[in-house]
Amino acid sequence: MTTTNKSALAFAGVAVVLFAAAHCAPSAPKERAHRGGGATSDVAIAAQKTYIAPGDLDEYYLFSSGGHSGQMYVFGVPSMRHLVTIPVFTPYPATGYGFDDDTRAMLAGHSWDDVHHPALSETAGDYDGRWLFANGISGRIGRIDLRDFKTKEIYGPAPNVSGNHASAFVTPNSEYVMMASRFSAPLGDAAIPVSEYATKYKGIIAGVKIDPKSGHMSLGWEIQTPPFDWDLGDAGKKASDGWMFFTCYNSERATGKLEVTASQRDRDYIAAVDWRLAEKAIGEGKGAEINGAKVLDPAKVPGVMYLLPCGKSPHGVDVSPDGKYIVGNGKLQGVTTVFNFEKIQTAIRNKDFTGDEDGIPILKYESVKDAEVPVGLGPLHTQFGPDGYAYTSLFVDSAIAKWKLGTWEVVDKVPMSYSIGHLCAAEGDTVSPDGKYLIGLNKLSHGRHLSVGPSQPESSQLVDISGEKMKLLYDAFTEPEPHYAQMIKADKLHPIEVYPKEENHHPLAVWDVKDAGLTRNGDRVIVKTVVVRSTITPTQFEVKLGDTVTIAITNIEQTTDELHGFGMPGYNFNLVIDPGETKTVTFKADKPGVFYYYCTNFCSALHQEMQGYMIVKPK
Ligand code: K7E
Ligand code: CUA
């Protein structure tokens, strides 16, 4: 081991301890009363800035990942009121998601996933309010349509991508949504032992193509990489449009206790991927077929991928609004590293390399780096304001640092309670961030809320960034487990409130109770059903044991908020049908008896009366 490596390891040891120590952040004071004294005016100002009077609307939507809940949470900002939960990868009885035939088919037997990074679709680098993408660690990406806030498609699992964490970041015109392997694995199905990790395991970086009209996702290209742990990504924009950037840890290609073994090197990497070149190479047939995907070997496609050395086990990588700077947040150090895109291009032209990893050139650090900004300990993620300021979350210091692009001066810090992970600025990933609000998505919340037992909620803190000094405005709490979030101006979204009748082309829809009823074809039974205040028609029907039954339910209401449910506990399903919508549920009538069904959504004064019976007759 060289001296550098030894001192690196020593530093890593300290950093690891610090990183862990942050989990013992001090408990907040327990009193429930208002803070008094000199704080009063600050509190009053904060209250005024976050108070949305009854009936008034928030200025922004916040789409926050639900982590291993497999869901997405929607908040209004600045009130921080939770508006709705959008299930993506997880069944959610509250909206009937995962129970009707269509969404059940979409989930394909999976019952959870880990959502970390929501990504709003973009046009010319600005959020366009069309779709919201969400990564699933299992190698899937969900697409939510912002016209109705519903998950419409789940792509994947993508072949070869193992542990899709560096996802779902989109390119400036929503050409691609990214994927990458966090847990490298052998390509193909070979059960190669972990002892051969360094040579036989591979990572994958992938671009999933988005159809510009429909939003439909399909695999664009894959690039195989050394078995690093790809962690986060961001798309180049403006100056750096056409490139994608991914951070990795474990460039040591280590296994076992990564906490130690993967913290040895002073620097890991940020990969710079020329996605237009990848697209072209795949078009020219340069990919090898692996598990049904075309996979590029970067050693054979010169120019498709470069590595920028970045200290030290970097986590987030974030591209500035003008696309000129690529910020790498090295979580085990006290600085954040800023790379200059122009310098990267020059270094590539001059072949200013210091070596390679499996044929992928490594750019010389000194040639591509612009600054090491002393933001504080444990930088994880960076967001941007409209005025050249950047905001970096500091996990270990439990704070946000504000600093200036270009002068690299750290101008302000605000403490977070506690141990901030991601942070989210208003329109913060676009070419034109709004500033105004910043939300710290914290990992710990202990003591700042009424106790709810050992399963503590997560805390999100709203910060005012409109002035020179950042000001904490509000604590909000949520279920596990927000990682990243994106905030979009509310007036960019125009969701519908009913599904227009004329758009309902469902073959089993019925709009008149006269047309409701049962049809049989052998042992296939279809029950066309109408729900409207305050009857489910038919109110009873009879099938035979062993029949395959499809209940097709149309909510013929065209009035906002008039949802109806259709729950049948005896057969373990609950559907919720929005106004104008038709949903089906198909099951085998494999239990004889009498089974009640009823409306699960309180819809009217006679909601309780909205009920009926299915009789399953023994043969
Ligand atoms: Cu939580 Cu984006 Cu998965 Cu950082 S990641 S904190
Ligand atoms: Cu319909 Cu309750």
Side-chain angles (χ1 to χ4, degrees):
M1 188 187 273
T2 66
T3 338
T4 338
N5 273 350
K6 259 189 212 151
S7 59
L9 193 55
F11 182 78
V14 172
V16 166
V17 170
L18 282 171
F19 210 60
H23 287 96
C24 322
S27 278
K30 291 281 184 200
E31 81 271 11
R32 265 167 222 164
H34 291 289
R35 282 142 291 182
T40 315
S41 67
D42 270 3
V43 169
I45 292 167
Q48 222 168 45
K49 289 202 166 185
T50 56
Y51 181 70
I52 300 292
D56 282 356
L57 304 179
D58 279 296
E59 195 180 343
Y60 289 92
Y61 285 97
L62 179 77
F63 294 95
S64 181
S65 76
H68 48 273
S69 79
Q71 302 168 332
M72 199 78 87
Y73 308 131
V74 185
F75 294 82
V77 177
S79 75
M80 299 302 283
R81 292 179 295 196
H82 173 244
L83 302 175
V84 79
T85 294
I86 306 174
V88 184
F89 297 110
T90 306
Y92 189 48
T95 62
Y97 186 80
F99 292 89
D100 66 283
D101 292 336
D102 288 345
T103 57
R104 204 168 51 183
M106 212 155 60
L107 291 178
H110 294 257
S111 46
W112 77 286
D113 214 319
D114 201 349
V115 179
H116 282 220
H117 309 111
L120 289 157
S121 58
E122 295 181 12
T123 300
D126 260 316
Y127 302 148
D128 59 19
R130 299 177 74 193
W131 305 300
L132 176 67
F133 298 90
N135 76 307
I137 197 91
S138 71
R140 295 180 293 166
I141 294 179
R143 179 174 53 87
I144 293 157
D145 194 331
L146 293 175
R147 182 177 182 247
D148 60 0
F149 283 47
K150 301 274 167 69
T151 304
K152 288 296 161 61
E153 183 185 9
I154 293 176
Y155 165 77
N160 306 318
V161 176
S162 173
N164 180 41
H165 183 266
S167 180
F169 311 98
V170 298
T171 52
N173 282 298
S174 304
E175 295 96 338
Y176 286 99
V177 54
M178 306 174 199
M179 285 187 141
S181 298
R182 178 167 151 210
F183 311 112
S184 289
L187 303 182
D189 296 323
I192 297 169
V194 175
S195 56
E196 295 178 68
Y197 181 87
T199 52
K200 301 272 175 64
Y201 283 48
K202 297 286 173 211
I204 288 282
I205 282 174
V208 173
K209 215 173 170 45
I210 303 167
D211 183 275
K213 278 226 174 70
S214 65
H216 176 70
M217 294 176 281
S218 59
L219 189 60
W221 45 263
E222 291 191 346
I223 300 174
Q224 85 172 46
T225 76
F228 306 154
D229 292 45
W230 297 108
D231 202 14
L232 279 132
D234 199 6
K237 48 175 93 98
K238 287 196 155 172
S240 50
D241 189 13
W243 291 76
M244 291 180 188
F245 302 92
F246 295 89
T247 49
C248 77
Y249 56 98
N250 195 20
S251 62
E252 292 85 351
R253 311 188 190 204
T255 57
K257 273 189 157 199
L258 290 194
E259 140 173 70
V260 178
T261 56
S263 305
Q264 297 179 45
R265 284 189 171 186
D266 263 345
R267 298 202 180 111
D268 292 278
Y269 299 114
I270 291 175
V273 173
D274 182 341
W275 60 259
R276 290 214 172 88
L277 187 57
E279 187 176 56
K280 187 161 160 264
I282 287 291
E284 289 165 354
K286 287 188 180 150
E289 176 113 4
I290 304 175
N291 285 334
K294 295 268 190 252
V295 183
L296 297 171
D297 178 349
K300 294 179 189 151
V301 187
V304 81
M305 182 169 171
Y306 299 92
L307 297 171
L308 325 177
C310 183
K312 159 140 212 172
S313 299
H315 189 53
V317 55
D318 300 284
V319 179
S320 63
D322 57 12
K324 288 184 183 162
Y325 301 110
I326 292 103
V327 180
N329 303 278
K331 63 180 185 259
L332 298 186
Q333 57 181 11
V335 300
T336 198
T337 311
V338 184
F339 299 92
N340 182 312
F341 185 73
E342 223 175 273
K343 290 184 180 176
I344 293 170
Q345 293 306 301
T346 309
I348 290 172
R349 268 196 308 276
N350 297 340
K351 297 208 168 14
D352 196 357
F353 306 144
T354 56
D356 72 282
E357 293 267 8
D358 299 359
I360 308 163
I362 302 166
L363 299 173
K364 189 173 167 202
Y365 179 69
E366 289 72 21
S367 305
V368 293
K369 161 213 94 166
D370 244 3
E372 291 177 355
V373 185
V375 286
L377 272 181
L380 290 188
H381 298 282
T382 297
Q383 285 274 283
F384 303 94
D387 41 12
Y389 284 102
Y391 301 83
T392 298
S393 60
L394 306 169
F395 177 84
V396 177
D397 278 351
S398 191
I400 297 172
K402 175 181 178 180
W403 52 280
K404 183 94 182 167
L405 288 161
T407 70
W408 320 123
E409 195 190 344
V410 179
V411 296
D412 191 25
K413 276 192 191 176
V414 63
M416 285 283 104
S417 308
Y418 299 94
S419 300
I420 180 173
H422 273 276
L423 72 184
C424 164
E427 305 243 333
D429 283 308
T430 68
V431 295
S432 56
D434 285 8
K436 260 186 140 157
Y437 300 113
L438 182 66
I439 291 167
L441 299 151
N442 304 324
K443 298 303 181 193
L444 307 173
S445 63
H446 45 211
R448 291 179 72 98
H449 49 77
L450 291 175
S451 177
V452 289
S455 281
Q456 303 250 325
E458 313 291 330
S459 98
S460 303
Q461 290 184 300
L462 180 70
V463 179
D464 180 357
I465 55 167
S466 59
E468 220 169 283
K469 291 261 165 215
M470 295 181 281
K471 286 204 181 78
L472 178 64
L473 295 178
Y474 196 73
D475 279 12
F477 300 94
T478 173
E479 287 170 81
E481 142 107 8
H483 287 266
Y484 190 42
Q486 283 191 330
M487 209 191 306
I488 180 173
K489 198 116 205 192
D491 61 18
K492 283 190 179 175
L493 301 189
H494 306 282
I496 55 166
E497 296 193 344
V498 301
Y499 292 97
K501 181 181 175 185
E502 55 281 6
E503 283 181 25
N504 183 328
H505 304 298
H506 199 289
L508 298 178
V510 279
W511 289 89
D512 193 318
V513 290
K514 290 202 305 287
D515 302 322
L518 181 149
T519 51
R520 170 180 288 281
N521 185 355
D523 59 1
R524 280 290 284 125
V525 172
I526 292 171
V527 187
K528 291 184 182 169
T529 304
V530 169
V531 287
V532 65
R533 280 163 288 173
S534 297
T535 304
I536 301 176
T537 311
T539 56
Q540 55 167 294
F541 61 91
E542 208 174 280
V543 299
K544 286 186 223 144
L545 193 66
D547 282 347
T548 300
V549 180
T550 295
I551 306 176
I553 308 153
T554 303
N555 177 349
I556 65 172
E557 310 264 4
Q558 289 284 281
T559 312
T560 297
D561 240 351
E562 281 305 333
L563 286 69
H564 297 286
F566 189 103
M568 194 191 282
Y571 272 85
N572 191 32
F573 64 80
N574 177 49
L575 267 52
V576 176
I577 311 97
D578 294 353
E581 201 178 27
T582 300
K583 278 184 179 169
T584 64
V585 57
T586 301
F587 56 94
K588 190 148 178 125
D590 53 7
K591 284 175 288 189
V594 174
F595 300 89
Y596 61 84
Y597 50 85
Y598 73 106
C599 176
T600 46
N601 243 73
F602 205 106
C603 52
S604 60
L606 295 170
H607 155 81
Q608 291 298 87
E609 281 75 1
M610 230 173 140
Q611 62 182 60
Y613 292 100
M614 172 177 79
I615 316 292
V616 181
K617 276 180 49 178
K619 286 218 169 106

